Amino acid sequence: MDKQPRVRLLNCDEFRGKPHSKTEESPTPMPKDLQPNQDFQPIETFPDHYPFRTGHSETQDGNMSYTFGPYEEVLDNRKRFFHQEQLPTQHLATFFTEHQDIITDLDQLNPAFPFGEGPIKGELALTTDVIVTTTPGTGVFLGFADCVPFVVCDTRQKILAFAHIGWRSMAANLTSRTIDHLKTKYQSRPQDLIAVIGPSIKPTSYHFDDPKQWQDPQWHPPPKRPPKGKTA
């Protein structure tokens, strides 16, 4: 039987499970089935020798969305963030997602992807849900609100996949399909794969009166309905 890919979490309070007072503003502790172990650990222990880096902006980095701020302000924030993180702004890729299950092999696009500072300036040249690259020095920049950043790296062949996972793509099993794509197209071995799950919205901030998942047969088990009638 193949070994399962190892999974590590980005370094953020929501996933650390730190003790906290029981207030609505407090972060949700990590579920018991996701507690850190040798295969599922916070990013603090991320080895330096892995052939990729991950990072995310924080509140003090300023607004990164052109939707919610003046263009010049957001552009300055993005440039400053990329400079301090030493990210490759001249070989940067991004994409727009329609919350489906599309996987794009970036290095095989024809015509080729227009790398450059376009992503920093808010220019979107590709619609997909996952991009895969084998080119060293490629940076991938995506904006997230409540969805989940999902990165998979083949550490042996130095292949990187970056996915934008929403509830629709989660129901379509896009996370496992991304791994299957690496195994099928690139002959990746599960024992060589590292998966990184980024920070996303917390259940306490994501309540709906009538979530669509109740009517979706692919979403199993369905969300539980709490006493007040709303669910996360």
Side-chain angles (χ1 to χ4, degrees):
M1 180 181 295
D2 288 339
K3 294 182 180 179
Q4 293 297 312
R6 290 164 289 173
V7 179
R8 296 178 186 273
L9 293 170
L10 281 176
N11 182 11
C12 63
D13 288 336
E14 180 179 350
F15 293 121
R16 286 176 182 161
K18 289 184 176 181
H20 60 273
S21 59
K22 294 183 178 180
T23 66
E24 292 185 359
E25 293 78 14
S26 300
T28 303
M30 185 187 299
K32 291 182 179 180
D33 59 336
L34 298 184
Q35 292 293 340
N37 55 43
Q38 64 180 24
D39 293 323
F40 199 99
Q41 302 175 24
I43 202 73
E44 288 104 328
T45 59
F46 209 72
D48 294 333
H49 65 271
Y50 284 161
F52 73 104
R53 295 188 298 123
T54 60
H56 59 278
S57 63
E58 300 181 356
T59 304
Q60 60 264 30
D61 296 312
N63 176 33
M64 297 287 172
S65 173
Y66 289 112
T67 304
F68 300 104
Y71 180 85
E72 293 299 330
E73 175 187 324
V74 175
L75 181 61
D76 288 344
N77 290 340
R78 289 188 176 192
K79 286 184 175 181
R80 183 170 57 253
F81 173 73
F82 275 78
H83 177 73
Q84 70 186 22
E85 295 293 327
Q86 299 181 351
L87 297 174
T89 58
Q90 298 304 320
H91 204 263
L92 193 63
T94 190
F95 61 83
F96 176 78
T97 178
E98 293 182 342
H99 301 285
Q100 299 182 36
D101 57 355
I102 303 172
I103 300 175
T104 300
D105 296 287
L106 195 64
D107 307 320
Q108 300 176 18
L109 288 178
N110 187 16
F113 186 86
F115 288 104
E117 293 191 352
I120 293 182
K121 298 176 181 179
E123 300 171 3
L124 299 174
L126 178 65
T127 298
T128 187
D129 298 280
V130 185
I131 59 174
V132 182
T133 181
T134 62
T135 303
T138 299
V140 184
F141 173 59
L142 293 178
F144 290 86
D146 44 356
C147 294
V148 181
F150 181 65
V151 177
V152 184
C153 179
D154 181 330
T155 58
R156 177 175 61 92
Q157 301 187 90
K158 297 180 174 58
I159 302 169
L160 184 75
F162 195 168
H164 185 286
I165 305 294
W167 70 264
R168 292 178 181 83
S169 49
M170 183 71 73
N173 298 315
L174 185 56
T175 50
S176 59
R177 287 192 57 218
T178 300
I179 294 173
D180 288 341
H181 181 79
L182 294 178
K183 291 167 62 178
T184 302
K185 187 173 182 64
Y186 298 95
Q187 290 73 55
S188 293
R189 304 180 307 187
Q191 62 266 33
D192 297 322
L193 300 181
I194 294 292
V196 180
I197 303 171
S200 61
I201 196 167
K202 295 182 287 187
T204 52
S205 303
Y206 206 66
H207 288 182
F208 293 90
D209 293 317
D210 186 25
K212 294 181 179 180
Q213 288 89 336
W214 280 334
Q215 288 79 42
D216 188 346
Q218 298 185 78
W219 198 269
H220 184 78
K224 295 181 180 179
R225 187 192 296 270
K228 294 183 179 181
K230 292 189 176 183
T231 188

